[in-house]
Amino acid sequence: MITLLAGDIGGTKTLLALYQLQAGGDLELLRYERFVSADWDDLSPMLSSFLSAGEPTPAAACLAVAGPVEAGQAQLTNLSWQLDCKQLSAATGIERVELVNDFAVLIYGLPHLTPQQQAQIRSGVARSDAPLLVLGAGTGLGVAYGVPTPTGLVAVASEAAHGEFAPRSQPEWELKQWLARVRGLERVSIERVVSGTGLGEVARWLLHIRHPDGDHPLWPLADGSELPAAVAASAARGESLAATALELWIGCYGSVCGDLALAGLSRGGVWLAGGTAGKLLEALRSPSFNQAFLNKGRLEPVLATMPITAVIDPAIGQFSAACRARMLLA
């Protein structure tokens, strides 16, 4: 039996999963376990604990980490762990171990998604010989490109989310100025607006300018992390301020998506992941998103052929790491 280890490692939690490689190349999940990352001094003893159930030593492992990876090493953003592929290989006995950024790893899972793991946003024709783009609006905004090679896709990590937010209208300009002033920022990055957190910021701005006296049902949540979800729920019920916030945010998301798709000429397709993708399908399919995506002047025909698909599987990180581990055996 050939097994593969997949990990999704973050500052708060770590998900470890063991997959069996079937004769036809399919992956079967054998078991998984959730760990509180801060309960462990290092990743090696956690891996040893997970692998002590008696299964064969995995033939390969891909560990997706919340932080940059360089030369097989990574320093987690919110933990003191310093990870090294060679050390992890020696500690676990796994011959092939790879560390990948936890968003870039999604590139390796996208070609293998089942219909149940995805939902179409707009139709198009994906070219197998062209790069693809994945964006993920969650707490922040993740961005990565996938480049086709003879041995499969290669993930290219990106920090495009930290580029400058470019307003397209007077309301977006006023939002940017408000964010800079209230948050004490010298510049406003894309992910300050285009992220789940950013949806909350758009709503806060509208609350301040439309209801400065605090006479709106969303005001009690204005300083909390629950605001983005509350805005989406209120917008679904037709509440005016929340609907305005969501429409403005969706337009910004669509515009950035179009910009980044042009930057990479992502004729292989555009994928939307992150915590908001599966929850806002109706909004992502709206004219507000689609028109902003296409509104790039004479280059609109280039974007018009690109399909956009949402990833709706919350375990996509773990699954993608398993797909990458399978590639390491080739």
Side-chain angles (χ1 to χ4, degrees), residues 29-268:
L29 178 62
L30 296 178
R31 62 182 178 89
Y32 70 95
E33 190 170 350
R34 182 185 189 277
F35 296 85
V36 177
S37 301
D39 289 348
W40 299 80
D41 295 330
D42 196 4
L43 180 60
S44 293
M46 181 193 294
L47 293 178
S48 297
S49 176
F50 178 73
L51 295 171
S52 64
E55 296 100 344
T57 299
C62 176
L63 305 173
V65 299
V69 178
E70 186 173 354
Q73 298 180 329
Q75 167 69 63
L76 266 70
T77 304
N78 296 315
L79 275 181
S80 60
W81 295 357
Q82 293 183 337
L83 308 181
D84 182 278
C85 286
K86 293 181 180 178
Q87 293 178 357
L88 291 170
S89 177
T92 60
I94 302 174
E95 183 177 351
R96 302 174 184 87
V97 177
E98 183 174 80
L99 299 173
V100 183
N101 172 266
D102 64 346
F103 196 82
V105 77
L106 301 184
I107 292 294
Y108 299 117
L110 296 179
H112 308 290
L113 295 181
T114 65
Q116 292 72 34
Q117 292 174 293
Q118 58 187 288
Q120 185 181 82
I121 299 301
R122 71 183 308 271
S123 61
V125 179
R127 284 178 37 181
S128 61
D129 62 341
L132 57 84
L133 165 69
V134 58
L135 290 83
T139 303
L141 178 67
V143 180
Y145 291 93
V147 179
T149 73
T151 57
L153 287 172
V154 172
V156 179
S158 172
E159 292 297 340
H162 295 283
E164 188 83 13
F165 172 64
R168 302 168 300 132
S169 64
Q170 185 64 29
E172 289 180 13
W173 172 256
E174 293 174 5
L175 167 65
K176 181 176 182 178
Q177 300 308 303
W178 180 84
L179 274 171
R181 183 177 67 255
V182 170
R183 298 303 183 195
L185 305 172
E186 293 184 1
R187 61 184 294 276
V188 177
S189 69
I190 292 168
E191 78 168 6
R192 285 280 182 178
V193 177
V194 182
S195 62
T197 303
L199 175 57
E201 294 284 47
V202 174
R204 288 185 187 94
W205 168 63
L206 290 173
L207 286 169
H208 276 86
I209 64 174
R210 292 188 179 184
H211 299 272
D213 296 330
D215 57 339
H216 190 280
L218 289 175
W219 259 114
L221 301 175
D223 294 323
S225 59
E226 304 89 352
L227 183 58
V231 171
S234 296
R237 295 192 297 269
E239 196 282 316
S240 174
L241 183 143
T244 300
L246 182 60
E247 184 174 11
L248 188 151
W249 182 85
I250 281 289
C252 293
Y253 196 177
S255 180
V256 167
C257 187
D259 289 343
L260 296 179
L262 284 178
L265 286 179
S266 306
R267 294 187 175 97

